[in-house]
Amino acid sequence: MKRIAQDLARYLAEVLGEHVSLRPWEGHKGLPLFLRERYAFFGGRLHDTPLLFMAARTPDEETPATIRKHIDQARQRTHDEVVYVRDGVTSYNRRRLIDHRIPFIVPGRQMYLPPLGLDLRERFDQKKPARDAIGPSTQAVLIHMLLRGFDDSPVKAADLKPRLGYSAITLSRAFDELEAAGLAESRRIDRSRELTLVADRRSIWEKALPLMRNPALRVEHVKGEIHALRGFVAGLSALARRSMLAEPSSPVVAVSRDDWQSCIKQGAVETIPMREPGAVDVEVWKYPPHILSDGDAVDPLSLYISLREDADERVQGALDELLGGLPW
């Protein structure tokens, strides 16, 4: 923790031209043990404003909703503004921290201190990642492995074919993408190819999350009978089932592109230009929701990805509850 404190002080001096003397915060002794294990606390003054820096000790990133709870607990013992500090934050969590207006500093990269009117964007390395996202079919394969418990045991392409309905070529491409992303390793046994995750499921999920994209291509509004859609409960409707969140005013279902196009051609549903009372929101998905579902609702990981950009704190809290209930 001495290193991150030095990096923090150096960064503040370089960017703001102000020397900040950091000192261990004695108030940490009154905090719960789990907070003392997760963070080191330093006090300091910036622009004559007393601040408490809460520096992450662990390599795993917490969700912004969880960080907010930890900050609130620390603020019960201080009147100072609490600033979250860690040596690296994913681009996705950076956006969410800003959405939640959580003050944070990534030494050498970014500083977001709304109480002081400071929002200095990060300096990215010039190296461009090989890929910004994995493809929809690759995402479906990975989610299947995460949900089905393939921590140490490999999954064979031949077994995925009937379960997911993808061709051998599509599965081969998905295996290649997961290897290129450093999420899995594959090998050939005779004519078959099998894939193994390179770490435990929770670690793979956290590493893969920035590469995953919302499975919904678009949202359509449908009036009247929707049985022909063969839709799966999705969006806020599905999240309400798994948490204390209230049901949305308009039910949400997810369908595959093929099912949607088929219903439109047959005139089986009536679309309307905007949401109105009695209408249903239909998410048209990039991959068929049924291939990952165990019931009449979409799978929990796809659900999380589809709602993670929602700025409502209640939704974010329900999403944290959703992940917390997974057996990994």
Side-chain angles (χ1 to χ4, degrees), residues 259-275:
D259 284 347
W260 175 254
Q261 291 168 359
S262 176
C263 284
I264 293 299
K265 287 180 181 178
Q266 295 171 13
V269 294
E270 178 187 354
T271 60
I272 54 178
M274 63 184 65
R275 183 184 293 130

Side-chain angles (χ1 to χ4, degrees), residues 120-131:
L120 304 179
R121 299 292 172 166
E122 76 179 300
R123 299 196 303 267
F124 290 101
D125 295 333
Q126 295 302 310
K127 293 181 180 179
K128 187 177 180 180
R131 188 179 180 89

Side-chain angles (χ1 to χ4, degrees), residues 13-301:
E14 289 176 353
V15 175
L16 302 178
E18 183 172 344
H19 175 70
V20 178
S21 178
L22 299 177
R23 62 192 182 282
W25 181 55
E26 292 298 322
H28 80 280
K29 297 176 182 178
L31 294 176
L33 177 60
F34 79 93
L35 279 183
R36 302 201 303 270
E37 291 177 341
R38 281 177 169 81
Y39 304 100
F41 295 88
F42 303 96
R45 299 184 70 88
L46 183 61
H47 294 347
D48 293 325
T49 300
L51 298 174
L52 175 62
F53 298 97
M54 188 177 81
R57 296 179 185 273
T58 61
D60 298 331
E61 284 192 65
E62 303 280 5
T63 65
T66 299
I67 294 167
R68 169 60 69 190
K69 293 177 183 177
H70 295 169
I71 286 176
D72 289 343
Q73 287 182 280
R75 292 194 67 177
Q76 292 177 8
R77 302 191 60 81
T78 180
H79 296 296
D80 299 350
E81 189 70 44
V82 181
V83 181
Y84 174 61
V85 181
R86 68 174 294 118
D87 55 10
V89 178
T90 63
S91 59
Y92 169 63
N93 269 344
R94 280 192 299 270
R95 291 194 302 271
R96 291 181 67 197
L97 287 168
I98 292 172
D99 289 342
H100 285 256
R101 293 187 62 79
I102 295 176
F104 71 93
I105 296 177
V106 182
R109 292 180 178 272
Q110 187 168 4
M111 180 187 309
Y112 177 69
L113 301 176
L116 301 183
L118 294 173
D119 184 3
L120 304 179
R121 299 292 172 166
E122 76 179 300
R123 299 196 303 267
F124 290 101
D125 295 333
Q126 295 302 310
K127 293 181 180 179
K128 187 177 180 180
R131 188 179 180 89
D132 295 327
I134 55 178
S137 55
T138 303
Q139 182 167 313
V141 169
L142 180 58
I143 289 175
H144 172 75
M145 296 183 69
L146 293 174
L147 290 174
R148 304 302 167 188
F150 292 96
D151 280 277
D152 301 315
S153 59
V155 62
K156 296 180 180 178
D159 295 332
L160 289 176
K161 193 173 180 180
R163 169 65 175 148
L164 303 182
Y166 289 133
S167 67
I169 294 176
T170 298
L171 289 173
S172 179
R173 187 182 305 119
F175 280 26
D176 289 342
E177 278 197 81
L178 292 172
E179 280 197 287
L183 301 170
E185 295 175 345
S186 73
R187 65 172 182 168
R188 288 191 176 278
I189 299 180
D190 297 328
R191 294 186 178 182
S192 180
R193 191 176 178 189
E194 61 182 28
L195 192 73
T196 305
L197 299 178
V198 298
D200 64 273
R201 286 181 290 162
R202 183 60 186 257
S203 298
I204 293 297
W205 163 254
E206 292 173 350
K207 183 177 180 181
L209 194 53
L211 302 176
M212 296 189 182
R213 295 296 177 262
N214 192 334
L217 277 170
R218 62 186 183 278
V219 178
E220 302 280 356
H221 307 294
V222 172
K223 188 175 181 180
E225 195 59 55
I226 63 167
H227 290 306
L229 285 172
R230 293 185 295 175
F232 287 73
V233 180
L236 295 179
S237 294
L239 188 58
R241 284 190 177 188
R242 294 175 173 268
S243 68
M244 299 298 292
L245 196 70
E247 289 278 352
S249 57
S250 295
V252 186
V253 299
V255 300
S256 68
R257 283 182 291 187
D258 289 345
D259 284 347
W260 175 254
Q261 291 168 359
S262 176
C263 284
I264 293 299
K265 287 180 181 178
Q266 295 171 13
V269 294
E270 178 187 354
T271 60
I272 54 178
M274 63 184 65
R275 183 184 293 130
E276 62 181 45
V280 175
D281 291 346
V282 179
E283 296 180 350
V284 182
W285 275 28
K286 301 170 188 174
Y287 47 85
H290 76 269
I291 63 177
L292 298 173
S293 174
D294 277 337
D296 64 347
V298 300
D299 72 272
L301 298 186

